[in-house]
Amino acid sequence: MFNRQDYVSDVDWQRFLQFSEKLETPNIVINLNKVRTNFIKLKDSFPYARIFYAIKANPGEPILKMLSEQGSCFDLASRYELDLIQKFNVEPERLSFGNTIKKAKDIKYFYDKGIRMFATDSKDDLKNIAEFAPGSKIYVRILVENSVTADWPLSRKFGCHPDMAYDLLVMARDLGLTPFGISFHVGSQQRDIGQWNDAIAKTKYLFNSLEEEEGIRLSMIDMGGGFPASYVDPTNDLSEYASEITRYLHDDFGDEIPEIILEPGRSLVGDSGILTSEIILTSRKNNTALARWVYVDAGKFNGLIETLDESIKYPVITNKDSPTEKEGEVIIAGPTCDSMDIMYEDSKYKLPVSLKSGDKLYWLSTGAYTSTYASIAFNGFPPIKTYFM
Ligand SMILES: *Cc1c(COP(=O)(O)O)cnc(C)c1O
């Protein structure tokens, strides 16, 4: 059904097969070269931007080490992510506390470690920042509507209306903080580049009105993540994103564009991962059923949570794939005793009819939101292991 070469080069595939041959399944193998290449490509596409890797996408230590050596900055969502990144001697100037939902004592924890850049979207959080991180730089996350064209939307829970953002930045100044900028996230795996246009226009409006009415000069736009990884549904190439978004910035801000920050997660690590699962069982629910059930040893609870509502469609290939193999429709499900542990049913995946117990399903582009986005022991199954190549 899928052509492996569209996702993984021959050289990388051979390396992967050798590397993973003896590993117990299920497992995820991350190709660090691919992450490095993606980082460099993003940097070259947006030469004027600073890149803050969103650690949650894949907190694997070899990834953090490599990115910190490449000069990346990091967006943190919890004190635990801060502890993790500090192993790699990243200066506090390269760190931000990007989660708008945080405890007062965690704000203090960040401040004590030297972090001076905080996101917010509410008055109570801002008051806490003023108390426990005095003088820090504040950027306010605004709401953007993105639920239709993003495969994994991040709207509603985060961000506030631009009018509230305005009030928060005035309040930040009055509380002795430094009003720094505006952030937004147009939704993860955002396939409509135009979404950045709307968000940048809202940002421009806030820059103008705050300066004209309050004399507050903002200096930074954090354009979030949302850049694509390679799944089943096609997207534009990153270069297309870059040229369009750069044009939007110049349309609104002319030659003097503010400091720009990007917070990529998925686009840096997604394509670097291959999740290998073994078929436990195949079956038909009655003798004339057209679709087979294929049960594998990875599922929603150990690595594949983003198949929820079949939102993210990973390309799946098998050790039986060949041009001469007959394929048939399958329902692919995980090993646990929860009936939501079904990855694909409506999406009508087709796999070789000769597949049987012990054969392998390779889930491509599984480097993002898999390794830690999982249960620790549901039904006794241990967390999926990640290896770095
Ligand atoms: C998750 C997240 C990101 C990363 O988004 P991707 O779409 O994976 O690139 C960036 N910024 C914030 C604040 C996030 O919560």
Side-chain angles (χ1 to χ4, degrees):
M1 181 177 177
F2 300 104
N3 189 2
R4 189 262 306 152
Q5 275 132 325
D6 292 343
Y7 298 92
V8 186
S9 71
D10 290 343
V11 175
D12 283 348
W13 183 249
Q14 289 312 323
R15 261 186 81 209
F16 160 76
L17 286 180
Q18 262 182 11
F19 182 90
S20 67
E21 199 183 350
K22 301 251 157 59
L23 303 177
E24 281 253 10
T25 65
N27 65 67
I28 300 170
V29 173
I30 300 289
N31 178 352
L32 282 169
N33 276 336
K34 186 81 192 164
V35 184
R36 186 185 298 110
T37 315
N38 287 344
F39 178 79
I40 292 168
K41 193 167 154 201
L42 187 68
K43 223 172 51 161
D44 290 349
S45 304
F46 290 93
Y48 52 84
R50 277 207 297 164
I51 298 174
F52 283 64
Y53 173 55
I55 289 186
K56 71 170 190 280
N58 191 323
E61 295 194 10
I63 293 177
L64 301 183
K65 180 166 184 291
M66 187 270 291
L67 287 177
S68 66
E69 286 162 5
Q70 292 286 322
S72 184
C73 304
F74 297 89
D75 181 60
L76 311 170
S78 72
R79 63 190 292 170
Y80 310 103
E81 287 185 350
L82 174 55
D83 291 343
L84 189 59
I85 196 65
Q86 288 208 317
K87 290 187 188 172
F88 306 103
N89 301 316
V90 180
E91 306 85 340
E93 295 73 37
R94 286 161 66 193
L95 303 174
S96 63
F97 197 170
N99 195 343
T100 58
I101 299 161
K102 48 192 169 308
K103 295 180 177 174
K105 67 177 182 193
D106 291 347
I107 294 171
K108 182 171 182 326
Y109 190 84
F110 271 66
Y111 186 78
D112 289 345
K113 305 257 162 156
I115 286 87
R116 295 291 180 269
M117 209 177 126
F118 294 80
T120 193
D121 61 7
S122 70
K123 290 187 175 167
D124 282 359
D125 182 53
L126 187 61
K127 283 184 209 154
N128 285 338
I129 299 171
E131 183 173 350
F132 296 103
S136 292
K137 289 177 170 173
I138 299 300
Y139 59 105
V140 175
R141 178 148 169 194
I142 56 170
L143 268 172
V144 286
E145 293 92 40
N146 56 30
S147 37
V148 191
T149 48
D151 289 340
W152 196 264
L154 292 165
S155 51
R156 258 174 22 87
K157 181 173 173 183
F158 304 103
C160 60
H161 189 276
D163 292 345
M164 172 69 83
Y166 182 100
D167 292 348
L168 289 171
L169 286 158
V170 173
M171 188 174 148
R173 176 198 59 194
D174 295 345
L175 289 169
L177 295 159
T178 308
F180 184 41
I182 300 292
S183 75
F184 53 79
H185 195 304
V186 296
S188 202
Q189 191 70 6
Q190 177 55 263
R191 284 180 284 119
D192 174 15
I193 306 176
Q195 297 294 321
W196 273 272
N197 198 11
D198 298 349
I200 291 168
K202 283 183 181 161
T203 304
K204 172 64 179 170
Y205 158 80
L206 279 165
F207 268 61
N208 280 356
S209 53
L210 278 160
E211 176 151 24
E212 280 160 21
E213 293 156 26
E214 293 286 339
I216 293 174
R217 240 196 126 145
L218 298 178
S219 54
M220 186 279 287
I221 308 176
D222 174 343
M223 301 201 294
F227 305 101
S230 310
Y231 301 123
V232 173
D233 292 329
T235 62
N236 280 291
D237 195 68
L238 182 66
S239 60
E240 212 74 45
Y241 282 72
S243 62
E244 285 297 291
I245 292 170
T246 304
R247 186 167 64 78
Y248 304 149
L249 284 169
H250 286 298
D251 282 352
D252 277 321
F253 287 90
D255 286 340
E256 287 189 32
I257 59 173
E259 176 182 343
I260 299 293
I261 281 176
L262 305 177
E263 287 177 352
R266 189 184 301 281
S267 63
L268 291 191
V269 291
D271 295 355
S272 73
I274 298 175
L275 185 153
T276 303
S277 63
E278 186 182 290
I279 296 180
I280 302 170
L281 198 67
T282 67
S283 75
R284 288 182 202 272
K285 298 288 179 188
N286 69 57
N287 287 327
T288 53
L290 294 174
R292 284 163 303 151
W293 285 72
V294 174
Y295 301 97
V296 297
D297 57 3
K300 278 222 164 66
F301 299 97
N302 58 351
L304 297 170
I305 188 67
E306 284 202 322
T307 59
L308 207 65
D309 298 329
E310 308 192 22
S311 302
I312 297 293
K313 294 187 194 65
Y314 300 106
V316 177
I317 62 175
T318 79
N319 58 313
K320 290 276 172 67
D321 286 13
S322 96
T324 53
E325 275 289 328
K326 191 166 173 286
E327 291 185 333
E329 193 182 313
V330 291
I331 300 164
I332 311 178
T336 69
C337 300
D338 190 314
S339 61
M340 76 166 269
D341 195 6
I342 298 170
M343 283 75 85
Y344 298 125
E345 182 169 11
D346 298 337
S347 303
K348 309 282 181 217
Y349 276 54
K350 289 199 173 72
L351 295 178
V353 293
S354 61
L355 285 174
K356 55 180 187 346
S357 304
D359 280 331
K360 284 181 175 159
L361 261 54
Y362 301 103
W363 304 67
L364 307 182
S365 303
T366 42
Y369 304 114
T370 48
S371 61
T372 56
Y373 205 170
S375 82
I376 52 164
F378 180 48
N379 264 173
F381 292 106
I384 192 161
K385 273 213 173 113
T386 305
Y387 300 86
F388 299 87
M389 176 170 93

